[in-house]
Amino acid sequence: LPKVLRSFAQLHPHVTIEVVCASTPRLLALLNRRTLDLALTSVAEKFPARDILRREALVWVSQSGDISNLPNPLRLALGDPDALDHLAARTALDHAKIAYQVAYASGSLSGLLAVVRSGRAIAVLTRVAVPADLFILSGSILSGKSGLPDLPSLGLSIALDHRNAS
């Protein structure tokens, strides 16, 4: 994003850009109220492929790579309750019949990371959002060893009001 914003500012020096960081449901609500011109949103796997900019794998993330210390019920740090990562985690755990407790829910990535770093909960993040000091508990390296269910991927898409776009 910094490179995109810098390039756009150089090409269009008289245009003011305001960036709003929020969960997809919040961004779509702002877009519907015409408070935003466009939004980078997360969409479910079944979203039409032609509208997907890129796909991101969702993964389980922990402060430690030691899967033997996971509490029962599993303590989760998740995004907003109506966000795809939150819904995907709960759906996967419900299907696998794994007991869990949502210990922390927030649209703040830094808040989620702080809770995970404290060792008090595990989170669901996109693979590219996992910092180097945290561990992925799912995926090709630990597949089948974590006892955690697979998570879907999500797509990134641009949402805008085509009727009012300039």
Side-chain angles (χ1 to χ4, degrees):
L1 188 59
K3 289 180 183 177
V4 171
L5 292 173
R6 189 171 26 257
S7 295
F8 186 86
Q10 289 170 348
L11 291 170
H12 307 283
H14 302 293
V15 174
T16 301
I17 297 177
E18 296 177 25
V19 178
V20 176
C21 294
S23 65
T24 291
R26 273 4 104 235
L27 294 174
L28 291 174
L30 292 171
L31 190 65
N32 287 335
R33 288 197 309 263
R34 297 187 179 151
T35 305
L36 298 178
D37 295 316
L38 62 87
L40 181 62
T41 61
S42 300
V43 295
E45 283 182 308
K46 60 186 173 200
F47 201 77
R50 71 183 187 295
D51 296 329
I52 302 289
L53 299 174
R54 109 188 208 168
R55 294 205 184 273
E56 294 288 345
L58 290 174
V59 294
W60 301 100
V61 180
S62 174
Q63 177 255 352
S64 162
D66 182 5
I67 56 175
S68 64
N69 286 337
L70 293 178
N72 187 6
L74 196 59
R75 294 178 50 81
L76 303 175
L78 300 174
D80 288 334
D82 55 352
L84 289 178
D85 58 328
H86 188 116
L87 297 170
R90 294 184 71 169
T91 299
L93 292 170
D94 287 343
H95 280 351
K97 297 184 179 6
I98 296 174
Y100 63 89
Q101 172 191 12
V102 179
Y104 181 83
S106 171
S108 165
L109 178 60
S110 59
L112 294 175
L113 294 175
V115 172
V116 172
R117 286 182 173 120
S118 76
R120 302 297 304 149
I122 65 171
V124 171
L125 303 174
T126 57
R127 184 177 297 275
V128 298
V130 180
D133 64 318
L134 297 178
F135 294 86
I136 295 173
L137 297 180
S138 60
S140 58
I141 297 171
L142 296 175
S143 182
K145 295 182 183 175
S146 70
L148 294 171
D150 289 335
L151 293 165
S153 63
L154 55 82
L156 296 178
S157 181
I158 299 277
L160 59 111
D161 182 355
H162 292 284
R163 297 165 303 191
N164 296 307
S166 63

